[in-house]
Amino acid sequence: MVEVTLWGSLGALAGGKSKVEIEAKDIRELFRKLAEQYPGLEPLIEKGIAVAIDGTIYRDTWSKELPEGAEIFLLPRLAGG
Amino acid sequence: MNFDPRFAGRNFTSVGTRPIRPDGVDKVTGRARYGADFNMAGQLVGRVLRSPHAHATIRKIDTSKAQKLPGVKAVITAADLPDLTDGDAAMYDILDNCMARKKALYDGHAVAAVAAVDARTARQALKLIEVDYEVLPHVTDVDEAMKHSAPVLNDAIFTEGLEEKPAKPSNVTKRSQYGHGDVHQGFGQADYVVERTFKTEQTHQGYIEPHACVANVSSDGTAELWVCTQGHFVYRQHCAQLLGMEASRLRVTSSEIGGGFGGKTHVWAEPVALALSRKAGRPVKLVMTRDEVFRASGPTSATSIDVKIGARKDGTITAAEATLRYSCGPYAGMWAELGAMTAFACYRLENVKTVGYEVLVNRPKTAAYRAPSAPMAAFAVESAVDELAKEIGMDPVEFRIRNAAREGTRSSYGPVYGPIGIGPTLEAAKNHPHMKAPLGKNQGRGMACGFWFNFGGQTCTDLNIGMDGSVSLAVGTVDVGGSRASLSLVAAEELGIAYEHVKAVVADTSSLGYNDMTDGSRGTFSSSMATISAARNAILILRERAAQTWDIPVDDVVWEKGHAIAKGEKYGNLAALSLREIAAASGKTGGPIAGHSELVADGAGVSFATHICDIEVDPETGATRVLRYTVVQDAGKAVHPTYVEGQYQGGAAQGIGWALNEEYIYGKDGRLQNPGFLDYRIPVCSDLPMIDTQILEIPNPNHPYGVRGVGETSIVPPLAAIANAVSNAAGVRMTHIPMSPPRILAAIEAER
């Protein structure tokens, strides 16, 4: 079980929650269960969301494991110049 | 093989040296081929007809006269680029921007295009196209566009991010919010509070090379695109989707690039060129004029930002809050959100809140511009920080050091930081001789900090070893800042050979797996990670070939300084085999030797910088002169320090232009008044001082060499550093960028 913090706009799509608890072992499973439990998040997950695990931001690595007790933040998929 | 991307600490031989750039001679002698330097037999000239109105319904387009003009081979409108986006709103916006469909949304919006045998005929054809417009009310100012009375650009836009879906459409596409703690409580603990509103005007990336491409669609449906871009794989994906092609049938080759800075991460005219070629059955070359570049290729946002910061007498910030309004052009973006994420990222804050609003206006589609959105947010925040330090009576550097984020700090955008460099850059600035140099009359010194995320992304690399022992490195990240030299250094470092024996090339889209574009300061970060992996794969094969030659187990062969060495006393008589020797025998030992790597280069290290600037202000005219400028920035590890310094200097130079002169000026008719380098003034050499640099190296633990991206952070602090310097020199706080002479003079006179 990991606790996931959602940024403001994302929280609005998860029923106004800023934190949710999910049973997930990696980013792929996290996204799948988030979409199942909070359908409002699915379109954004489809477009791409970054995941910060203990401070390191992952944009694309679905296989990245979520260690027990890790701090998980969902962030927008960043743009650069 | 297993590839551990974590930094383990190592001494370098090639990395960190400064060899001459491999592309330099071609570029200074004119041999290098940029976007407009490529030609195909039988090519046509493409030209685009653009809206003269800021906002208008397109009732009808009659192209019949243009089509009949001798020499015209194709005329297209939106009907030739049908909507194939299958509900993908972002792609639809790209399509609509490439060729207006129902409405023209800004002065310069493409409405039709022609392909003709020469430029004169193409221009004549454009004049023969008749467009029936119904002119609509327009809005170009970000604050005006948020008002209830403003004309609405898109009736389908209802603000996202609100607790309840609004009942009416709006120009505000999205509200986003970041932060933690309780700012209300925090401000209650403050002894001093500074609250200000700031504005920045729209600027363009100002790259020297205009957008240019040659498109060639064959009768069998396959196509080629030669183009100036920061990301040819992304251009392939977007163009193929918009034209209804399989991506593999479109081969995209990136030309040399005369600057991009984010403006060449988006397709503009390329789908149009392909559509013209498809219709004409001949290659089409399309080069934007400078007027078109300004009017119709993504400038950055104009902004309006409120900042409030409170601190105790001892200099500890107790609360910080910002509301950021960013213009997006006529299509949704995430520019205010990036501003909201980066605004307070330099600081350790218990109570922080930022709110961003994305605002539609009748201006060209906003594009990324080097650390997109962060410079404007930093301008507002770092100006307020300076003012607060002054109110408390603290030195502005000491105030920032006291409140600087550090490892373990919760960032204002959420996650906790790993090892970071904001504190070290501030300490270095504090101790820099620049900070102690005397100032003269009407001169002021300013400093400011900046932050950018950096990121990695999908990356693919091939490393091929020739039979002469030289190495060819094929990468998929476009070289916008010297990455070919840097990646050659990395390959040389891993293989233990001389830099001169490695040649890096940017491969076309048919020659290599997918690569994300060169943005997010990812080029050298991600492709060096892939190069290290590919080199280590090649070394495994080199060891196997040596083991085969010696007829010993491969586990007994190690790779050191470019040689295979049989380890252990029992092999004492075996002379080491060099890479060149193994490569020369490769035809008999199993064939070509190569290493390949495909990876997602996640784990980019965030980046911080501190800038110092001295300015002289003429109080009679408001004119400014930049006297001295110093950049201190963390590179993680500088692979090629000269290129890193170049990035630092380039960011500062662009920031100086942005801060002092550059701005899009719109008339009451909603038309851009200064679409050219005469009236939109970027700095030339005589406007700039020598820009000093200091590279710090705080390793990124998620890269084998500790590399962080360096390309973008250097443009984040200049607006604020210069504003603080001008404010100190003029004796009046400047809150509006650019600080052009009339604006400074008005501020001085208002204070008198």
Side-chain angles (χ1 to χ4, degrees):
Chain A
M1 185 75 74
V2 291
E3 185 181 75
V4 182
T5 304
L6 313 170
W7 86 87
S9 328
L10 204 62
L13 299 172
K17 294 182 179 179
S18 60
K19 289 180 190 292
V20 295
E21 289 201 333
I22 301 283
E23 187 77 45
K25 65 178 186 304
D26 56 26
I27 290 177
R28 183 201 324 263
E29 193 171 9
L30 173 68
F31 283 165
R32 182 166 58 77
K33 291 194 172 173
L34 275 173
E36 282 170 9
Q37 294 174 29
Y38 304 98
L41 295 178
E42 194 170 5
L44 273 180
I45 293 171
E46 282 288 314
K47 278 166 65 178
I49 288 181
V51 181
I53 304 172
D54 287 333
T56 300
I57 297 175
Y58 297 87
R59 290 206 319 166
D60 301 291
T61 313
W62 277 15
S63 60
K64 189 70 189 171
E65 292 182 0
L66 307 177
E68 197 68 34
E71 184 176 80
I72 314 291
F73 265 86
L74 295 193
L75 296 168
R77 193 178 160 85
L78 304 169
Chain B
M1 70 177 289
N2 290 325
F3 175 68
D4 186 351
R6 287 172 300 181
F7 177 71
R10 61 181 286 173
N11 295 318
F12 296 101
T13 303
S14 295
V15 164
T17 62
R18 301 170 182 261
I20 291 173
R21 63 187 304 160
D23 51 336
V25 171
D26 279 358
K27 283 180 172 171
V28 298
T29 58
R31 287 183 62 212
R33 290 197 301 174
Y34 290 86
D37 292 330
F38 184 74
N39 296 295
M40 296 187 79
Q43 75 185 15
L44 303 170
V45 176
R47 284 282 187 276
V48 177
L49 183 68
R50 298 182 181 279
S51 167
H53 305 295
H55 195 191
T57 300
I58 301 169
R59 286 194 283 226
K60 187 183 172 192
I61 302 179
D62 183 351
T63 62
S64 56
K65 289 178 186 166
Q67 285 172 327
K68 289 174 189 158
L69 184 70
V72 171
K73 302 299 179 185
V75 183
I76 65 165
T77 64
D80 297 280
L81 278 165
D83 179 11
L84 304 173
T85 60
D86 195 23
D88 184 332
M91 286 304 295
Y92 182 84
D93 283 353
I94 293 170
L95 176 71
D96 190 70
N97 187 53
C98 288
M99 190 64 74
R101 314 185 82 73
K102 298 168 187 165
K103 288 207 294 184
L105 291 164
Y106 57 91
D107 165 41
H109 199 165
V111 295
V114 303
V117 291
D118 55 38
R120 184 167 169 271
T121 307
R123 282 195 299 270
Q124 281 181 323
L126 292 187
K127 290 176 184 170
L128 296 174
I129 298 173
E130 295 171 0
V131 186
D132 181 10
Y133 293 105
E134 179 190 353
V135 178
L136 302 170
H138 65 272
V139 60
T140 55
D141 179 82
V142 63
D143 288 322
E144 293 294 321
M146 288 183 76
K147 292 180 177 171
H148 291 299
S149 56
V152 174
L153 272 67
N154 187 339
D155 287 337
I157 297 288
F158 292 78
T159 311
E160 289 179 22
L162 302 179
E163 286 188 7
E164 290 183 19
K165 186 179 178 183
K168 290 182 179 177
S170 161
N171 290 328
V172 179
T173 64
K174 185 175 165 187
R175 177 191 186 276
S176 54
Q177 181 177 323
Y178 288 86
H180 52 258
D182 183 336
V183 288
H184 182 70
Q185 192 177 22
F187 283 120
Q189 296 164 358
D191 298 309
Y192 296 92
V193 175
V194 163
E195 192 169 5
R196 285 268 191 194
T197 295
F198 300 87
K199 286 202 81 157
T200 68
E201 296 298 330
Q202 191 159 41
T203 55
H204 196 273
Q205 298 84 349
Y207 32 81
I208 303 304
E209 186 192 9
H211 298 272
C213 66
V214 179
N216 183 27
V217 181
S218 298
S219 55
D220 65 358
T222 60
E224 301 166 274
L225 181 68
W226 165 276
V227 62
C228 173
T229 175
Q230 288 174 246
H232 46 317
F233 289 90
V234 174
Y235 272 37
R236 177 181 68 170
Q237 296 295 106
H238 286 183
C239 289
Q241 186 175 349
L242 295 181
L243 276 97
M245 301 173 66
E246 280 187 12
S248 63
R249 296 173 78 78
L250 174 59
R251 180 184 187 186
V252 183
T253 305
S254 64
S255 69
E256 289 289 350
I257 181 167
F261 313 112
K264 289 171 184 166
T265 60
H266 310 247
V267 294
W268 308 101
E270 297 77 13
V272 175
L274 284 161
L276 284 169
S277 175
R278 181 169 61 184
K279 194 163 187 177
R282 284 170 60 173
V284 173
K285 183 170 185 171
L286 210 162
V287 181
M288 277 191 175
T289 63
R290 185 63 59 185
D291 178 281
E292 289 179 293
V293 169
F294 275 107
R295 289 169 69 209
S297 71
T300 188
S301 303
T303 73
S304 166
I305 303 172
D306 306 326
V307 174
K308 183 179 179 184
I309 310 177
R312 286 197 291 265
K313 288 176 190 168
D314 67 357
T316 305
I317 296 176
T318 59
E321 187 173 13
T323 303
L324 308 100
R325 299 166 289 269
Y326 280 52
S327 69
C328 298
Y331 304 106
M334 63 174 302
W335 312 114
E337 184 155 30
L338 290 171
M341 293 175 80
T342 57
F344 292 108
C346 292
Y347 297 107
R348 191 174 68 255
L349 300 169
E350 287 187 12
N351 305 297
V352 58
K353 178 184 174 186
T354 57
V355 178
Y357 294 97
E358 318 290 342
V359 187
L360 301 186
V361 293
N362 293 114
R363 295 189 182 214
K365 171 183 158 69
T366 296
Y369 180 3
R370 223 174 169 169
S373 305
M376 304 84 118
F379 159 60
V381 167
E382 292 292 294
S383 295
V385 164
D386 235 44
E387 213 170 349
L388 187 54
K390 196 169 280 183
E391 289 218 2
I392 294 171
M394 280 186 77
D395 174 81
V397 184
E398 292 292 351
F399 181 65
R400 286 175 172 87
I401 289 173
R402 186 178 190 88
N403 292 288
R406 53 191 177 219
E407 186 169 359
T409 293
R410 178 166 307 289
S411 68
S412 58
Y413 58 90
V416 171
Y417 287 125
I420 57 173
I422 180 63
T425 66
L426 278 163
E427 292 288 350
K430 177 184 165 185
N431 296 318
H432 197 283
H434 184 167
M435 205 53 106
K436 300 174 182 71
L439 289 167
K441 190 181 175 188
N442 297 323
Q443 294 177 356
R445 175 166 301 140
M447 53 81 56
C449 301
F451 158 89
W452 184 244
F453 301 97
N454 300 332
F455 52 77
Q458 298 181 67
T459 314
C460 187
T461 294
D462 275 344
L463 185 150
N464 292 291
I465 299 175
M467 291 178 74
D468 62 352
S470 66
V471 173
S472 171
L473 185 65
V475 300
T477 41
V478 173
D479 181 356
V480 300
S483 60
R484 279 170 294 190
S486 299
L487 298 173
S488 296
L489 281 170
V490 169
E493 183 76 44
E494 280 299 315
L495 295 169
I497 62 174
Y499 162 82
E500 291 74 17
H501 295 318
V502 183
K503 172 75 174 172
V505 297
V506 179
D508 68 58
T509 57
S510 296
S511 308
L512 203 59
Y514 176 84
N515 278 261
D516 282 327
M517 62 174 67
T518 303
D519 67 345
S521 299
R522 70 174 289 274
T524 298
F525 167 76
S526 61
S527 276
S528 66
M529 201 185 281
T531 298
I532 292 166
S533 176
R536 291 179 185 177
N537 284 328
I539 287 170
L540 180 60
I541 297 170
L542 288 162
R543 286 172 51 226
E544 286 171 351
R545 299 298 173 86
Q548 184 186 350
T549 304
W550 288 325
D551 198 18
I552 66 173
V554 67
D555 288 346
D556 287 352
V557 180
V558 294
W559 189 259
E560 288 179 7
K561 297 179 181 174
H563 291 76
I565 296 168
K567 68 178 180 185
E569 290 184 4
K570 59 184 174 182
Y571 302 128
N573 292 331
L574 290 174
L577 282 172
S578 69
L579 180 144
R580 183 186 291 253
E581 289 170 317
I582 298 169
S586 61
K588 301 183 184 69
T589 60
I593 300 172
H596 179 79
S597 173
E598 63 282 312
L599 50 79
V600 174
D602 267 332
V606 295
S607 174
F608 292 88
T610 297
H611 289 200
I612 315 165
C613 175
D614 294 351
I615 297 266
E616 184 170 293
V617 175
D618 182 340
E620 301 301 319
T621 63
T624 51
R625 189 160 64 96
V626 185
L627 305 169
R628 185 171 180 179
Y629 203 102
T630 300
V631 176
V632 185
Q633 186 177 321
D634 173 22
K637 174 66 190 172
V639 176
H640 191 307
T642 304
Y643 284 131
V644 172
E645 290 163 356
Q647 292 288 332
Y648 290 5
Q649 291 163 330
Q654 284 189 310
I656 288 169
W658 192 340
L660 294 176
N661 282 304
E662 296 177 36
E663 73 177 295
Y664 268 46
I665 298 169
Y666 277 86
K668 288 183 180 174
D669 57 1
R671 300 190 67 180
L672 184 61
Q673 305 293 297
N674 57 337
F677 279 140
L678 278 177
D679 298 315
Y680 179 96
R681 191 168 180 282
I682 64 171
V684 296
C685 284
S686 57
D687 296 314
L688 298 172
M690 296 302 289
I691 297 168
D692 293 332
T693 58
Q694 186 174 348
I695 301 172
L696 303 185
E697 293 186 332
I698 295 120
N700 169 19
N702 299 313
H703 184 280
Y705 293 178
V707 170
R708 298 174 193 266
V710 298
E712 294 172 286
T713 307
S714 55
I715 204 171
V716 183
L719 278 60
I722 295 163
N724 289 334
V726 170
S727 299
N728 290 332
V732 54
R733 171 56 55 184
M734 297 302 299
T735 59
H736 196 157
I737 295 280
M739 295 170 288
S740 52
R743 214 165 263 146
I744 291 176
L745 197 58
I748 291 172
E749 288 178 350
E751 195 74 4
R752 278 174 184 157

